[in-house]
Amino acid sequence: LMSGVKNNVGRGINVALVNGKTGEPVDTKFFDMWGGDVAPFIEFLKSIQDGTIVLMGTYDDGATKLNEEARKLIADLGSTSITNLGFRDNWVFCGGKGIKTKSPFEQ
């Protein structure tokens, strides 16, 4: 889903969007939360359409640049663990835009 090559993820938070009705992949991106800027990640999160399944996973460090706004946007997708995500924590999550409850698919 991320890409066809070995070690197919980037440093930071890796995101895959899937159409919630058809199951078709919509987009994949990664955001470097160590050396990058959180602003493009926030804009990406805000642009996700209702009904989209959102899959996220960290590689290396996914928390250093996260701010309250980014954490809230992820929590709005159904995450309960994002508020506690720390430096180099491993985290995987499946939620959705417009979800009314918290996602049970998170570790």
Side-chain angles (χ1 to χ4, degrees):
L1 184 60
M2 292 304 295
S3 75
V5 298
K6 186 177 178 184
N7 299 324
N8 63 345
V9 296
R11 178 172 76 177
I13 297 179
N14 292 267
V15 184
L17 304 179
V18 176
N19 183 302
K21 291 183 181 179
T22 67
E24 293 294 316
V26 174
D27 199 2
T28 60
K29 292 196 182 311
F30 72 93
F31 299 89
D32 185 348
M33 293 292 109
W34 171 254
D37 182 8
V38 73
F41 183 48
I42 290 171
E43 291 308 310
F44 178 78
L45 292 172
K46 288 179 178 179
S47 74
I48 298 171
Q49 301 295 310
D50 276 356
T52 302
I53 297 168
V54 182
L55 302 121
M56 295 187 186
T58 58
Y59 175 71
D60 191 20
D61 176 39
T64 297
K65 296 280 177 91
L66 281 183
N67 60 19
E68 278 303 309
E69 182 179 11
R71 289 177 191 267
K72 176 163 182 350
L73 290 167
I74 296 169
D76 290 347
L77 297 171
S79 174
T80 56
S81 298
I82 193 62
T83 55
N84 300 320
L85 188 69
F87 178 67
R88 287 202 167 162
D89 283 347
N90 293 315
W91 174 67
V92 291
F93 166 70
C94 177
K97 182 68 177 249
I99 192 169
K100 303 284 189 253
T101 61
K102 297 302 176 190
S103 173
F105 307 107
E106 182 171 34
Q107 185 170 352

